């Protein structure tokens, strides 16, 4: 478990840099119930910073598992209106929210992937209005993690004290081991923003990924795309950082201009199940073939969520020397693993990754090539030998990555 002093610094970091909580503003915190003391520290810090109201949403994977085991699919797919209203009210009332994700990566390994997929689909559909708002930055939000025993055991199966090891790894990834974490984050954000500026200035039409594993994929970029790094501006004009840690610079792929094959570089954990060693083939932006050595059925559920999850919604570049990549730890948690490797996401694209996107409607966004879907799933493709080239409209090629690391 994180020491109390570190936890206080952690909460301050997330509230100031992450959601950038403003005086009088409401805050919702989602937290595993077994870590209620973490929520208490966050709530106390939030009130001391001037929060108007702190609301907690407790989560419990053990009860979720029982629910999936015993309740039938039809019942579970009937998403109650109160839950939808509760989420929507965050945007309506100008709250911000912190999601503390600490899932056991294989909590639902014995549950039918089809059932999990059906429920996830129903939930994503019911909460579409809320997730659209989140992805268009109508709300300031931040996803972070804390160690739990079940998760730590998956990451450090042979360690004497897995939770202590995971705490240390999270502290490092969050720069909480530096003398002044707030300052360390400001410097980090500035470095990422410089690189994003270069990419925005370059106006690439395509990005081409290639490695020895078999990835050979040309990803077209949306018209008017904007590369974004750590810090974003919410619709209220206030900056925030949506994921902590974050090492990525990302933008919008063109939904009709993706061709070739990609091979996964790391396992992907979704719905409490693990997908590994998978491959996707694209033609004109659409997945036309896929395979997986582990978790094929779960992958199938993700891809077949709706028409939009058959296309890409995000392309993100991260070098192999990012602190998380250098740690060599496989976290089995996308929040960390996606910051160790170049990644893509199937599903909804962020409206903010095209110029003035938060003011455009869905059909205007589609004209620019931005994908829409009820969900969004990131997965890692960056290997230590990954070669990445940016291609401009006039055919000029600029090498961006050699051997998995930035060369610009
Ligand atoms: Zn990403
Ligand atoms: Zn993503």
């Amino acid at each position: 478990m994180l020491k109390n002093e570190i936890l206080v610094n952690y909460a301050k970091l997330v509230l100031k840099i992450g959601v950038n909580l403003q005086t009088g503003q409401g805050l919702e915190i989602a937290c595993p119930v077994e870590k209620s003391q973490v929520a208490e520290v966050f709530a106390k810090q939030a009130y001391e910073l001037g929060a108007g109201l702190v609301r907690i949403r407790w989560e419990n994977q053990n009860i979720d598992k029982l629910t999936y085991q015993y309740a039938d699919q039809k019942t579970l797919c009937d998403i109650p209106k109160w839950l939808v209203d509760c989420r929507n009210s965050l945007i309506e009332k100008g709250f911000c929210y912190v999601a503390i994700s600490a899932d056991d990566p294989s909590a639902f390994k014995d549950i039918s992937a089809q059932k999990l997929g059906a429920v996830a689909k129903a939930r994503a559909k019911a909460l579409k209005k809320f997730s659209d708002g989140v992805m268009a930055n109508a709300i300031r939000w931040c996803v972070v993690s804390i160690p739990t025993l079940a998760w730590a055991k998956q990451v450090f199966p042979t360690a004497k004290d897995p939770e202590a090891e995971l705490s240390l790894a999270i502290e490092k990834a969050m720069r909480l081991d530096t003398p002044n974490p707030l300052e360390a984050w400001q410097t980090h954000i500035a470095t990422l923003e410089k690189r994003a500026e270069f990419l925005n200035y370059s106006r690439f039409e395509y990005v081409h990924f290639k490695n020895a594993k078999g990835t050979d994929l040309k990803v077209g970029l949306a018209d008017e795309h904007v590369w974004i790094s750590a810090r974003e501006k919410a619709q209220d004009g206030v900056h925030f950082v949506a994921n902590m840690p974050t090492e990525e610079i990302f933008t919008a792929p063109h939904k009709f201009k993706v061709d070739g094959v990609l091979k996964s570089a790391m396992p992907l954990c979704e719905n409490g199940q693990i997908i590994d060693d998978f491959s996707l083939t694209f033609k004109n932006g659409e997945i036309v073939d896929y395979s997986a050595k582990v978790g094929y059925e779960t992958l199938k559920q993700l891809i077949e969520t709706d028409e939009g999850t058959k296309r890409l919604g995000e392309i993100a570049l991260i070098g192999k020397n990012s602190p998380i990549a250098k740690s060599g730890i496989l976290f089995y948690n996308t929040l960390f693993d996606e910051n160790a490797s170049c990644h893509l996401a199937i599903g909804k694209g962020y409206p903010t990754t095209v110029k003035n996107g938060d003011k455009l409607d869905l059909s205007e966004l589609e004209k620019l090539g931005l994908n829409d879907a009820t969900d969004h799933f990131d997965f890692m493709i960056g290997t230590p030998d990954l070669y990445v080239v940016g291609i401009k409209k006039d055919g000029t090629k600029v090498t961006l990555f050699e051997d998995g690391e930035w060369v610009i």
Side-chain angles (χ1 to χ4, degrees):
M1 192 52 216
L2 294 165
K3 286 192 201 84
N4 196 56
E5 186 195 327
I6 291 176
L7 200 52
V8 169
N9 282 338
Y10 193 169
K12 281 184 184 159
L13 196 61
V14 174
L15 296 168
K16 286 184 181 173
I17 302 253
V19 290
N20 200 352
L21 181 74
Q22 305 288 298
T23 308
Q25 192 181 15
L27 167 73
E28 183 174 281
I29 303 170
C31 182
V33 71
E34 64 179 291
K35 297 291 174 188
S36 63
Q37 70 274 37
V38 173
E40 282 170 27
V41 172
F42 271 68
K44 183 162 183 274
Q45 292 306 317
Y47 278 126
E48 282 181 5
L49 277 170
L53 181 72
V54 180
R55 193 162 104 176
I56 310 286
R57 183 153 51 88
W58 298 116
E59 289 177 347
N60 185 322
Q61 271 192 311
N62 295 332
I63 295 181
D64 289 346
K65 191 177 172 186
L66 289 170
T67 308
Y68 282 122
Q69 271 171 339
Y70 290 98
D72 67 40
Q73 187 170 314
K74 196 166 163 261
T75 308
L76 291 175
C77 286
D78 182 14
I79 310 299
K81 189 175 170 292
W82 62 261
L83 192 138
V84 178
D85 290 345
C86 190
R87 280 318 143 80
N88 289 341
S89 75
L90 292 178
I91 296 180
E92 285 152 16
K93 301 220 178 295
F95 272 53
C96 53
Y97 84 82
V98 172
I100 301 175
S101 96
D103 288 346
D104 171 0
S106 44
F108 305 144
K109 66 175 189 302
D110 303 325
I111 310 283
S112 136
Q114 187 276 330
K115 189 175 188 180
L116 288 167
V119 179
K121 205 163 157 174
R123 193 175 295 147
K125 204 173 158 196
L127 295 171
K128 175 97 167 77
K129 189 180 162 201
F130 177 66
S131 55
D132 281 355
V134 169
M135 290 186 80
N137 293 351
I139 183 169
R140 275 175 277 119
W141 51 287
C142 184
V143 184
V144 295
S145 265
I146 46 163
T148 56
L149 185 59
W151 175 27
K153 276 186 179 163
Q154 176 97 39
V155 184
F156 299 103
T158 56
K160 225 181 184 174
D161 186 349
E163 215 176 322
E165 296 273 336
L166 185 56
S167 296
L168 211 61
I170 293 178
E171 268 174 58
K172 278 194 183 156
M174 289 294 290
R175 295 174 164 78
L176 285 164
D177 60 338
T178 58
N180 187 337
L182 274 175
E183 231 173 71
W185 267 88
Q186 308 284 16
T187 312
H188 173 53
I189 289 169
T191 312
L192 289 173
E193 281 180 349
K194 259 198 191 141
R195 224 163 232 158
E197 243 172 62
F198 170 83
L199 292 169
N200 282 324
Y201 170 80
S202 299
R203 306 307 315 155
F204 293 118
E205 193 184 13
Y206 286 95
V207 173
H208 190 174
F209 295 98
K210 227 174 158 169
N211 68 10
K213 221 177 170 189
T215 293
D216 187 354
L217 187 76
K218 248 176 107 179
V219 180
L221 303 182
D223 303 343
E224 310 279 340
H225 66 270
V226 181
W227 289 91
I228 293 179
S229 57
R231 206 163 57 139
E232 298 184 59
K233 205 185 245 183
Q235 287 180 17
D236 61 3
V238 179
H239 281 110
F240 74 107
V241 175
N243 282 187
M244 292 179 90
T246 179
E247 305 286 338
E248 66 179 303
I249 302 168
F250 65 101
T251 193
H254 194 294
K255 65 182 282 189
F256 298 118
K257 295 183 186 170
V258 183
D259 288 278
V261 181
L262 68 83
K263 305 276 181 186
S264 66
M266 285 186 206
L268 165 63
C269 307
E270 272 300 334
N271 273 347
Q273 299 197 328
I274 297 174
I275 311 166
D276 200 5
D277 225 332
F278 61 97
S279 165
L280 308 178
T281 305
F282 288 84
K283 207 178 164 202
N284 298 327
E286 196 184 3
I287 297 174
V288 289
D289 195 18
Y290 55 92
S291 65
K293 291 212 174 111
V294 178
Y296 176 82
E297 193 54 40
T298 307
L299 178 66
K300 183 171 185 256
Q301 292 300 325
L302 302 189
I303 292 172
E304 293 184 359
T305 301
D306 62 23
E307 282 311 300
T309 44
K310 295 183 179 71
R311 295 178 186 274
L312 292 184
E314 180 188 336
I315 166 173
L317 302 178
I318 296 102
K320 70 176 177 190
N321 292 324
S322 89
I324 298 172
K326 268 168 94 178
S327 77
I329 300 166
L330 178 60
F331 284 87
Y332 294 94
N333 179 320
T334 304
L335 178 65
F336 292 88
D337 293 333
E338 73 167 3
N339 285 304
S341 165
C342 284
H343 61 263
L344 300 168
I346 50 168
K348 188 174 172 65
Y350 290 92
T352 48
T353 50
V354 294
K355 203 173 156 198
N356 295 323
D358 56 353
K359 294 176 189 75
L360 304 179
D361 64 28
L362 280 178
S363 70
E364 290 168 317
L365 290 168
E366 189 179 22
K367 268 188 210 140
L368 298 174
L370 192 83
N371 192 30
D372 184 40
T374 46
D375 223 325
H376 174 108
F377 306 104
D378 297 79
F379 53 90
M380 288 58 80
I381 60 159
T383 49
D385 70 335
L386 189 70
Y387 186 64
V388 186
V389 178
I391 306 164
K392 295 186 184 178
K393 265 207 170 82
D394 64 4
T396 314
K397 290 182 177 177
V398 179
T399 305
L400 301 175
F401 276 60
E402 257 170 31
D403 285 332
E405 186 52 60
W406 288 99
V407 289
I408 52 152

